[in-house]
Every structure is written in structure tokens, then in C-alpha cells.
Amino acid sequence: MVALFAPVQPMVYLQYAFALVFLILLGTIAAKTGGSDVLKAVMRITFWGTVAMGITAGIGYLFGVNMAG
């Protein structure tokens, strides 16, 4: 939805922000479903999701792939 409706200029930042929002939501749902501590699950999923996005962005930078402009 972000890719369809957000303005082009801040697209990368909006996609990152919404990805974080949905990682937090995913962590919450997973913790409640599994009966785990919600804060720990949210922190773990958000941290590792951000690390994965950073590695992906770094590889894109390394190979000269720039979708932002």
C-alpha cells in the first residue's frame, strides 16, 4: 500500500518506517500466540528485521543498485 499511495520522494523512508511498524505488529502477534513476553518478542523481531534490511541495503549499495532515485 505504501508503494502504491506514498509520494515518490520519501518512499524509501516511508517503506522502512512501515516495515518497522509491521515488524512490531508481527512480534506482538507472535508473542501473544506463543504465550511469550511481548516486549522481548517485539525487540527481537524488530532488531533482527532491521539488521536484515540493513544488510540487504548494504549489498544493494555494494553492487550499485539504487532504487531511490
Side-chain angles (χ1 to χ4, degrees), residues 5-63:
F5 296 113
V8 175
Q9 281 304 105
M11 180 70 69
V12 173
Y13 302 110
L14 287 172
Q15 286 181 335
Y16 174 69
F18 276 92
L20 283 179
V21 167
F22 287 114
L23 282 170
I24 291 168
L25 181 64
L26 175 66
T28 303
I29 292 170
K32 289 186 183 251
T33 301
S36 180
D37 181 34
V38 175
L39 183 61
K40 278 185 180 180
V42 167
M43 299 274 288
R44 183 173 46 247
I45 289 176
T46 304
F47 174 77
W48 288 113
T50 300
V51 169
M53 286 189 284
I55 290 170
T56 304
I59 291 171
Y61 177 78
L62 201 67
F63 286 97

